[in-house]
Amino acid sequence: MAACRRVQRLLLLIFISGSICSARGAKSVHGDSDNPADNSERGKNPAGEGKAMALEGASSVRRSGGWKLAEEAACREDVSRICPKHSWNNNLAVLECLQDRKDDTEIGADCNHLLWNYKLNLTTDPKFESVAIEVCKTTINGIKECAAEERGKGYLVSCLVDHRTNISEYQCNQYITKMTSIVFSDYRLICGFMDKCKEDINKLHCGSVNTGDKDIHSQGEVISCLEKGLVSEAEEQPGHYTIREDCKKAIMRVAELSSDDFHLDRHLYFSCREDRERFCENTPAGEGKVYKCLFNHKYEESMSDKCKDALSTRQKLIAQDYKVSYSLAKACKPDLRKYRCNMDTAMPRAREAKLSYLLLCLEAAVHRGQTVSGECQGEMLDYRRMLMEDYSLSPEIVLHCRGEIDTHCSGLHHKGRTLHCLMRVFRDKAIMEGHCQKAIQTLIQETDPGADYRIDRALNEACESVIQTACKHIRNGDPMILSCLMEHLYTDKMVEDCEHRLLELQYFISRDWKLDPILYKKCQNDAARICHTHGWNETSEFMPPGAVFSCLYRHAYRTEMQGRRLSRDCKTEVQRILHQRALDVKLDPELQQRCMTDLGKWCSEKTEPGQELDCLQDHLEDLVPNCRDVVGNLTELESEDVADNQIDTGDLMECLVANKHQKEMNEKCTVGVTHFQLIQMKDFRFSYKFKMACKEDVLKLCPNIKKKVDVVICLSTTVRNDTLQEVKDQRVSVKCRKQLRVEELEMSEDIRLEPDLYESCRQDIKQHCQNVVFGNAQVIECLKESKKHLTQQCHQKVFRLQETEMMDPELDFQLMRVCKQMIRRFCSDTDAKNLLQCLKQNKNSELMDPKCKQMITKRQITQNTDYRLNPVLRKACKADIPKFCQNILNKARDDNELEGQVISCLKLKYADQVRTCNRNCEGQISVILQESALDYRLDPQLQLQCSEEIPRLCAEEVAAQEQTGQVEECLKYNLLKISHEGCKKEVLNILKESKADIFVDPVLHTACALDIKHQCAAIPPGRGRQMSCLMEALQDKRVRLQPECKKRLQDRIDMWSYAAKVAPAEGFSDLAGQVFTSPAKTYILSMLAMCVALLFLMGLLCGRITKRVTQELKDRSLDQPWAAPISKNRKGYIPIH
């Protein structure tokens, strides 16, 4: 090891005792007369003779053995003026006093030169090695490296300086520490430093190598100048000068050796003396404590600019070499050795020494769960905070972000604001690549603010109030604080400034999964196993940091059958990250990168939380393929995530859908659930439970179908066909049929969940249902009520929907919602297909809810408009409808109501009282007749034909809304006043139908109920039997009927008589029907029989007379043959002969 290589680390030594100092001082001065360096300096000193005299005086005093600096003529006045009297007898105290004087205190040039020579002699005399041996004997023996050094060449002293942190011997430690300040006052006192940096000093104009008239003790400024030059080179500032490697090492070594006591950094000491007294008055010197104190107050308003600059320079040197920080190097030395952080032989020494490398290495150990001493972690925390506070400490950011800083972030240097400004620039502009962004990303990894939010001072200050309220249950400094803040993003507890700082930081954390310490801790083993990742501070071209999370969430919801799965803890953390990213697309790097164009095209106005992702999902079909894929995958994961949260025995999403319109449900939650339902319609994969239950069925039965609604229709059609054909083994699996049912029920709640219907009726909705709110099937109900006014396309779709709902009432959302309690009360054991039938049977119960009753009536009205909407009637009369009503069917159009014509046709056949229909069909017609007799609205033909007559003639009955047949009764009594032929015909049909069964005439039935019980109890209803019974009782004078019944019966006879007059039979069948249904049919038939008999007798009589005349004519012709008939030719003319 060469002398100057080691002495460059400071050749320091002095004898601390006064007697040793004086004895050695004489020899030293004597030796100095022959010292070429001293002679050279004195020869170049323009002070000349005065200085020479001072030296001679000093030499004579030294020789006397009691030489003192305070007694020298050159310094006597300055010492008495500046230094306290008790220090005059101690040369070292005087030297320290004069060196540490205030800026406004000057000392004479002769005294300056005397002090310079004195220090030079102390640091260049190899004889002082023997003093070091004497004072530090025990220490030298304890340090193997120093004990092995060759004596007599200054190596020993250099070694002691190098290991001064390990010196525990008090006298030796004081000796080395005290004398260090002497050497650091002037770079020329460091052996080899001047030789290695002379050229760089001159190039950088850092000062003259020669003393000249310049204050010799200000030469510490040269070190500062070189240090700034080194920083300028690292930042690649314009016009920077490249310092030679030897000089770089010398500069860094000086900085390292001055790291424990800020007095040794002369430039910083003089720049910060007043600030030290102001902020760090009670902080003891040594072990870098004053440095740290000043660093902590760097951004105080009262901190001088000169001190700030000096501190920044010192911090930048620490960033280049961690050993420049005494406290950090000391605290982390064992851990660095333990985790081999400085043993990478493949890495250049300059990089290995960087603060960033140390932080990354030790942070990696911490993240692996290894132990790093608390003292070291405390130091790391301080310097990580320091890097986050001042971006200029990171040369890469200064170099690559210069333009962005000048344009957007100038003047925001304090407390990490510039760094957050840069983060905001990249977040707002969505710039995905660039050296500046990479530099910021690297800094975030080095400082690791995700592990402790306090590292980010700007975030800490902005979010302090939120943390105190929303996250007070979490230990201060815990990584969960950031997660807590994200959970309260966009809530009432969040403040705007905290929200901005948080999103700016999360933008960069989200781009590297390792920067979320909780995620990394829980998932590092899964990532290594599944995604083949490396260590915390290692990267791979095949698996970059941003791709690791994508890999993890792809495996988060896999089943055992699908292969490798994440652990439970890791899966929980992946879900947490997905929840956070859903709030802002910029927190999802892959989504932002692939969808940048679509975000600008479709979602530029969506600025509220979560709106951008909702917007992309809404426009899924319009997105470019790459964006569509990532949005689709994310939506699929959302559905899996929601489905994964089980509550009780049901699924969370199904529970939310079922209860989203409850009063207790939050409005935002309702909107969110509905939106998620709408998104699920775009792809069946977005419904996790449906996908898992029906995936195989879809591939087998509905290949190439992607939209969920189409898949549901395909599978539902298959199930229906198999059911109708009574297939033994249905093609759709049981688990799929069960989930299919859930999907069908959910789709019935909102018209938007049935895209085909919604698109067909979009214009009709705007025109007829503009003010109706979506949800609760309200729009669908509105369209049903406005069905007569709908466009043809929409009308057809609504008709098909009603047909489906009538076949399966559970799909009728409004009916199920309004009658929920009544179904539980009356139909709890009824099959789902027969729910409406059950409700109709219990409609007039006293316990029936009025709203439900009204809803049942609506459905009855709908059913009676077309037999196809009444599945029970359709099945019962399957053979009779085409047999008796084919002419109506021929005129019908698909998906359009027949307005009750087929049902009216069947009712008339029933009223003929001639068994033409099967019993099941007759039973259903009887039910319809009974229902419509009580409520005219259930007879669509009557309502259609009498739309004008009913309000004119029966307004009071309509207003009463009693639904007891009063409107029909009113029309019957006012039959003569009805002018509309169609209405008159319908009323006559009612009269005709009432003959067939007394139940069809509710007014008469009510009036005669008691008489029926007494007189006709044994006679079954139907085919006019009970009505005939009452008529016979009316004619029988022995039977006394109730007055009201008698009156009503007489009225009916009069009505039927009039009906017979105004409505003659249209054919023989009608005539026969009227006869056979007439109460006087016996009389009519008797009279008809008498007429036939009379005609027969007359025929016989006429036949006898005709036969006699014919015979007489024959006899006459035989007696007179000349009376032959006249012949005619073919043309009918009589020929002339």
Side-chain angles (χ1 to χ4, degrees):
M1 185 178 189
C4 286
R5 288 181 193 152
R6 297 304 308 264
V7 178
Q8 156 185 335
R9 300 174 179 173
L10 275 232
L11 213 262
L12 263 197
L13 266 206
I14 223 88
F15 188 31
I16 212 158
S17 122
S19 59
I20 295 176
C21 181
S22 62
R24 298 293 184 188
K27 295 178 183 178
S28 187
V29 173
H30 181 71
D32 283 346
S33 62
D34 297 327
N35 190 301
D38 189 33
N39 292 336
S40 172
E41 290 298 327
R42 274 188 275 182
K44 295 177 183 178
N45 192 346
E49 189 177 343
K51 292 184 179 179
M53 291 175 63
L55 285 172
E56 290 176 2
S59 297
S60 63
V61 173
R62 290 173 198 150
R63 291 189 190 101
S64 66
W67 183 82
K68 292 181 175 58
L69 275 174
E71 296 176 358
E72 286 292 326
C75 292
R76 188 183 299 135
E77 183 182 348
D78 295 311
V79 171
S80 61
R81 178 166 50 88
I82 297 172
C83 302
K85 190 173 183 179
H86 64 80
S87 64
W88 292 357
N89 292 326
N90 190 326
N91 289 342
L92 295 180
V94 171
L95 181 61
E96 186 177 7
C97 171
L98 293 176
Q99 281 191 154
D100 295 349
R101 70 190 187 279
K102 294 183 178 180
D103 292 339
D104 56 356
T105 306
E106 298 293 335
I107 61 174
D110 292 340
C111 185
N112 257 329
H113 195 66
L114 178 63
L115 294 176
W116 153 252
N117 282 282
Y118 178 62
K119 290 189 295 183
L120 185 61
N121 290 335
L122 292 176
T123 56
T124 56
D125 192 344
K127 294 179 182 179
F128 279 99
E129 189 174 281
S130 60
V131 178
I133 294 172
E134 182 179 345
V135 176
C136 301
K137 184 184 296 184
T138 306
T139 300
I140 293 171
N141 293 332
I143 302 174
K144 295 180 181 180
E145 293 87 345
C146 298
E149 290 289 359
E150 186 179 354
R151 302 291 190 267
K153 294 186 178 181
Y155 294 168
L156 177 61
V157 176
S158 178
C159 180
L160 287 171
V161 172
D162 211 16
H163 291 83
R164 76 181 193 274
T165 56
N166 298 326
I167 297 175
S168 58
E169 191 176 356
Y170 179 75
Q171 188 178 13
C172 181
N173 187 43
Q174 288 294 102
Y175 174 66
I176 295 295
T177 303
K178 194 71 174 177
M179 295 315 300
T180 305
S181 60
I182 298 173
V183 178
F184 278 89
S185 64
D186 197 323
Y187 73 93
R188 295 171 303 168
L189 300 179
I190 305 172
C191 177
F193 183 86
M194 184 174 64
D195 295 333
K196 293 182 178 180
C197 293
K198 180 177 181 180
E199 182 179 342
D200 299 293
I201 291 170
N202 290 330
K203 289 283 187 180
L204 291 169
H205 305 287
C206 289
S208 173
V209 177
N210 301 323
T211 305
D213 292 327
K214 187 175 177 68
D215 179 1
I216 297 172
H217 298 283
S218 69
Q219 289 296 309
E221 297 288 339
V222 176
I223 297 290
S224 174
C225 177
L226 289 172
E227 290 172 346
K228 290 179 180 178
L230 193 61
V231 170
S232 177
E233 179 185 345
E235 296 173 355
E236 297 186 20
Q237 294 180 6
H240 71 274
Y241 168 75
T242 304
I243 299 174
R244 294 181 302 160
E245 287 299 322
D246 288 344
C247 185
K248 285 181 184 177
K249 293 178 181 178
I251 296 169
M252 296 308 296
R253 189 56 182 157
V254 169
E256 289 177 21
L257 294 173
S258 63
S259 62
D260 63 336
D261 191 346
F262 93 112
H263 291 88
L264 306 183
D265 188 335
R266 306 305 291 174
H267 171 70
L268 188 143
Y269 170 73
F270 285 114
S271 299
C272 298
R273 274 191 301 186
E274 294 181 358
D275 298 286
R276 187 268 172 96
E277 293 175 3
R278 185 182 303 114
F279 299 110
C280 310
E281 181 179 5
N282 298 322
T283 303
E287 299 185 349
K289 293 180 180 178
V290 177
Y291 284 126
K292 289 189 67 174
C293 176
L294 290 172
F295 289 158
N296 291 334
H297 293 86
K298 177 179 172 181
Y299 291 114
E300 297 288 345
E301 293 183 1
S302 54
M303 175 70 76
S304 64
D305 293 337
K306 189 176 181 181
C307 184
K308 284 181 184 178
D309 293 339
L311 291 172
S312 294
T313 301
R314 185 81 189 179
Q315 288 176 320
K316 292 174 183 178
L317 292 176
I318 293 173
Q320 294 191 43
D321 189 344
Y322 71 89
K323 292 182 180 179
V324 177
S325 171
Y326 176 88
S327 56
L328 179 64
K330 180 182 178 182
C332 297
K333 187 175 182 180
D335 297 295
L336 291 171
R337 185 182 297 110
K338 179 179 180 181
Y339 299 114
R340 305 176 69 85
C341 293
N342 51 5
M343 299 294 290
D344 192 347
T345 56
M347 187 179 293
R349 172 68 181 88
R351 181 182 172 188
E352 187 182 299
K354 281 191 174 182
L355 175 63
S356 60
Y357 180 76
L358 173 141
L359 293 175
L360 289 173
C361 180
L362 293 180
E363 285 168 10
V366 173
H367 286 295
R368 289 194 299 266
Q370 295 171 318
T371 303
V372 175
S373 67
E375 187 180 2
C376 179
Q377 289 200 48
E379 290 293 328
M380 289 169 60
L381 182 66
D382 290 338
Y383 283 98
R384 284 154 63 190
R385 185 187 293 118
M386 179 187 77
L387 291 173
M388 283 293 290
E389 282 185 358
D390 192 347
Y391 78 94
S392 66
L393 304 184
S394 302
E396 295 81 7
I397 293 181
V398 175
L399 171 62
H400 298 301
C401 302
R402 191 174 290 125
E404 287 82 358
I405 292 172
D406 292 341
T407 306
H408 304 284
C409 309
S410 58
L412 299 174
H413 193 278
H414 301 312
K415 302 178 183 178
R417 293 173 186 167
T418 302
L419 185 60
H420 268 276
C421 174
L422 289 172
M423 292 178 184
R424 183 172 64 254
V425 169
F426 285 101
R427 181 178 180 275
D428 292 344
K429 292 187 176 181
I431 301 173
M432 304 308 299
E433 297 293 340
H435 294 296
C436 181
Q437 180 168 347
K438 289 180 180 178
I440 297 174
Q441 192 74 44
T442 301
L443 176 63
I444 298 297
Q445 184 178 3
E446 292 169 1
T447 55
D448 196 15
D452 191 336
Y453 74 97
R454 295 172 298 178
I455 292 169
D456 190 341
R457 185 170 179 178
L459 177 69
N460 188 13
E461 292 182 355
C463 298
E464 184 176 1
S465 61
V466 183
I467 294 170
Q468 293 300 322
T469 54
C471 310
K472 59 183 178 181
H473 60 286
I474 303 176
R475 178 177 56 83
N476 198 22
D478 193 285
M480 284 301 296
I481 291 286
L482 271 186
S483 181
C484 173
L485 290 174
M486 286 298 296
E487 289 174 4
H488 288 87
L489 197 64
Y490 306 121
T491 64
D492 296 336
K493 294 183 179 180
M494 180 59 64
V495 296
E496 184 178 4
D497 196 27
C498 177
E499 176 184 310
H500 293 324
R501 301 295 85 76
L502 181 62
L503 288 175
E504 289 157 9
L505 178 62
Q506 284 289 346
Y507 177 82
F508 284 87
I509 289 179
S510 64
R511 275 146 180 78
D512 189 344
W513 76 289
K514 301 186 301 255
L515 299 183
D516 189 309
I518 306 173
L519 175 67
Y520 182 80
K521 180 180 179 181
K522 300 293 186 181
C523 295
Q524 57 179 321
N525 293 330
D526 296 274
R529 175 172 53 89
I530 297 173
C531 309
H532 309 292
T533 58
H534 300 279
W536 188 83
N537 58 338
E538 299 175 8
T539 57
S540 169
E541 295 180 0
F542 302 102
M543 187 59 68
V548 176
F549 186 75
S550 299
C551 170
L552 289 174
Y553 75 58
R554 282 196 298 271
H555 291 80
Y557 299 97
R558 287 193 172 190
T559 62
E560 293 181 1
M561 299 293 293
Q562 293 174 317
R564 293 173 295 180
R565 304 171 64 193
L566 299 185
S567 63
R568 182 183 297 274
D569 290 342
C570 181
K571 182 178 179 181
T572 301
E573 292 308 310
V574 170
Q575 290 173 335
R576 176 178 64 84
I577 299 299
L578 286 174
H579 295 166
Q580 294 177 2
R581 292 187 174 187
L583 296 172
D584 192 335
V585 296
K586 294 175 182 177
L587 298 181
D588 191 326
E590 185 180 14
L591 179 66
Q592 186 185 18
Q593 183 177 8
R594 293 193 183 186
C595 298
M596 191 180 300
T597 304
D598 289 300
L599 283 168
K601 183 177 182 181
W602 305 107
C603 313
S604 58
E605 297 180 358
K606 305 295 183 180
T607 57
E608 295 298 318
Q611 282 189 347
E612 288 176 311
L613 180 57
D614 290 349
C615 172
L616 290 174
Q617 291 171 331
D618 291 338
H619 292 87
L620 187 65
E621 296 87 352
D622 305 317
L623 305 179
V624 297
N626 284 341
C627 181
R628 189 188 310 128
D629 290 343
V630 70
V631 174
N633 291 336
L634 185 60
T635 307
E636 187 174 358
L637 286 171
E638 280 185 347
S639 69
E640 293 173 3
D641 179 44
V642 173
D644 190 60
N645 292 280
Q646 301 292 328
I647 55 173
D648 299 329
T649 57
D651 180 74
L652 176 60
M653 195 64 202
E654 291 178 9
C655 175
L656 289 172
V657 170
N659 295 280
K660 71 177 183 177
H661 294 294
Q662 296 293 331
K663 294 179 180 179
E664 297 82 1
M665 180 67 75
N666 179 279
E667 183 179 356
K668 290 184 178 180
C669 183
T670 301
V671 173
V673 172
T674 302
H675 177 264
F676 195 71
Q677 287 181 281
L678 295 175
I679 297 304
Q680 286 181 331
M681 292 295 106
K682 298 178 183 294
D683 195 321
F684 79 94
R685 296 179 299 122
F686 297 166
S687 299
Y688 177 70
K689 291 194 71 177
F690 181 61
K691 177 185 71 175
M692 298 305 294
C694 299
K695 190 174 183 179
E696 295 178 0
D697 300 273
V698 172
L699 293 175
K700 181 175 64 175
L701 301 172
C702 311
N704 304 321
I705 299 179
K706 194 172 183 180
K707 288 187 176 181
K708 179 180 174 182
V709 63
D710 296 334
V711 171
V712 171
I713 292 172
C714 171
L715 294 175
S716 299
T717 304
T718 305
V719 172
R720 183 176 61 187
N721 292 339
D722 288 349
T723 303
L724 293 175
Q725 296 171 13
E726 298 181 354
V727 177
K728 185 176 181 181
D729 297 324
Q730 291 211 4
R731 289 172 288 175
V732 181
S733 64
V734 175
K735 63 178 182 179
C736 182
R737 291 203 302 270
K738 182 179 179 181
Q739 191 60 36
L740 184 64
R741 187 65 180 170
V742 174
E743 301 300 332
E744 289 176 330
L745 294 176
E746 289 182 1
M747 288 169 59
S748 67
E749 181 267 337
D750 194 323
I751 190 172
R752 294 172 296 178
L753 300 179
E754 299 191 45
D756 191 27
L757 174 63
Y758 182 57
E759 290 300 323
S760 299
C761 297
R762 189 184 289 269
Q763 294 301 322
D764 299 273
I765 293 171
K766 289 182 179 179
Q767 184 175 355
H768 304 294
C769 311
Q770 187 175 6
N771 299 322
V772 179
V773 180
F774 288 103
N776 270 337
Q778 294 180 86
V779 174
I780 295 176
E781 197 67 22
C782 171
L783 291 174
K784 291 176 182 177
E785 293 173 358
S786 307
K787 191 164 55 175
K788 293 181 180 180
H789 309 292
L790 300 180
T791 59
Q792 182 67 20
Q793 184 182 15
C794 179
H795 190 280
Q796 290 177 354
K797 297 291 183 182
V798 172
F799 179 83
R800 289 178 186 173
L801 175 66
Q802 289 180 313
E803 188 175 4
T804 303
E805 290 177 348
M806 294 302 176
M807 292 178 64
D808 190 350
E810 262 194 326
L811 300 180
D812 189 340
F813 186 87
Q814 276 283 10
L815 176 69
M816 300 304 294
R817 184 182 70 85
V818 174
C819 297
K820 185 177 181 179
Q821 297 299 326
M822 297 300 102
I823 291 173
R824 290 179 180 175
R825 174 174 293 173
F826 297 111
C827 312
S828 58
D829 299 328
T830 305
D831 183 77
K833 305 288 184 182
N834 300 321
L835 284 176
L836 181 58
Q837 198 72 10
C838 171
L839 289 171
K840 289 194 304 184
Q841 291 170 0
N842 293 277
K843 171 184 171 182
N844 296 318
S845 170
E846 294 180 356
L847 300 176
M848 178 60 69
D849 177 66
K851 291 184 179 179
C852 179
K853 185 176 182 179
Q854 185 179 2
M855 181 59 65
I856 296 170
T857 302
K858 282 185 178 182
R859 296 301 178 259
Q860 287 180 295
I861 293 171
T862 301
Q863 280 190 328
N864 289 346
T865 59
D866 198 303
Y867 76 98
R868 290 169 293 183
L869 300 180
N870 190 334
V872 179
L873 175 69
R874 185 176 185 178
K875 183 179 180 180
C877 301
K878 184 177 181 181
D880 299 297
I881 292 173
K883 180 179 178 182
F884 300 110
C885 311
Q886 186 62 46
N887 60 326
I888 299 174
L889 297 179
N890 293 337
K891 300 176 184 178
R893 290 187 300 171
D894 290 340
D895 306 328
N896 280 281
E897 292 85 347
L898 296 172
E899 298 299 339
Q901 295 180 58
V902 171
I903 295 178
S904 295
C905 168
L906 292 172
K907 288 194 295 184
L908 288 173
K909 289 297 177 185
Y910 178 83
D912 287 343
Q913 300 184 25
V914 179
R915 175 163 289 177
T916 54
C917 302
N918 64 67
R919 290 186 180 277
N920 291 334
C921 184
E922 283 187 356
Q924 290 302 315
I925 295 171
S926 174
V927 171
I928 293 173
L929 285 169
Q930 292 176 32
E931 291 173 347
S932 59
L934 293 170
D935 190 344
Y936 76 97
R937 295 173 299 174
L938 302 185
D939 189 337
Q941 279 295 312
L942 177 66
Q943 193 174 11
L944 176 67
Q945 299 296 336
C946 301
S947 58
E948 297 179 359
E949 308 291 345
I950 291 175
R952 181 172 63 87
L953 300 174
C954 310
E956 292 183 5
E957 288 79 358
V958 172
Q961 296 183 346
E962 292 181 356
Q963 298 177 10
T964 54
Q966 294 301 322
V967 174
E968 288 87 340
E969 191 71 11
C970 169
L971 290 172
K972 292 173 186 176
Y973 275 108
N974 292 283
L975 181 61
L976 296 175
K977 299 179 181 179
I978 296 175
S979 57
H980 191 281
E981 290 298 325
C983 180
K984 184 181 293 185
K985 182 179 178 181
E986 289 301 321
V987 175
L988 291 173
N989 287 338
I990 292 174
L991 289 170
K992 179 180 178 181
E993 292 160 1
S994 65
K995 294 180 183 180
D997 200 326
I998 194 169
F999 287 101
V1000 180
D1001 193 337
V1003 175
L1004 179 63
H1005 182 262
T1006 302
C1008 299
L1010 190 61
D1011 296 297
I1012 292 173
K1013 183 177 180 181
H1014 290 149
Q1015 306 299 331
C1016 310
I1019 298 175
R1023 298 189 175 278
R1025 287 187 285 264
Q1026 288 186 340
M1027 184 69 74
S1028 298
C1029 173
L1030 288 174
M1031 287 297 179
E1032 291 175 359
L1034 179 65
Q1035 294 175 0
D1036 190 344
K1037 296 181 180 179
R1038 295 171 298 175
V1039 178
R1040 297 186 62 181
L1041 299 177
Q1042 296 292 323
E1044 182 67 18
C1045 178
K1046 188 174 183 179
K1047 179 178 180 299
R1048 294 291 180 184
L1049 282 173
Q1050 192 62 51
D1051 290 342
R1052 294 298 179 269
I1053 294 173
D1054 295 340
M1055 290 179 185
W1056 292 331
S1057 300
Y1058 178 74
K1061 294 178 182 178
V1062 299
E1066 296 179 357
F1068 181 77
S1069 60
D1070 286 346
L1071 178 62
Q1074 288 181 9
V1075 170
F1076 281 104
T1077 56
S1078 173
K1081 67 178 180 179
T1082 304
Y1083 173 76
I1084 295 173
L1085 290 174
S1086 299
M1087 293 301 296
L1088 284 174
M1090 289 177 64
C1091 291
V1092 169
L1094 181 62
L1095 288 172
F1096 179 73
L1097 292 173
M1098 289 179 64
L1100 287 175
L1101 180 61
C1102 291
R1104 296 291 296 173
I1105 296 172
T1106 305
K1107 185 177 180 181
R1108 186 179 302 165
V1109 172
T1110 305
Q1111 186 61 40
E1112 289 178 354
L1113 289 174
K1114 286 182 178 180
D1115 293 341
R1116 187 180 302 174
S1117 63
L1118 290 173
D1119 294 337
Q1120 299 177 0
W1122 45 265
I1126 300 173
S1127 61
K1128 299 180 182 179
N1129 60 13
R1130 294 174 63 184
K1131 293 184 179 181
Y1133 297 105
I1134 300 173
I1136 300 175
H1137 298 283

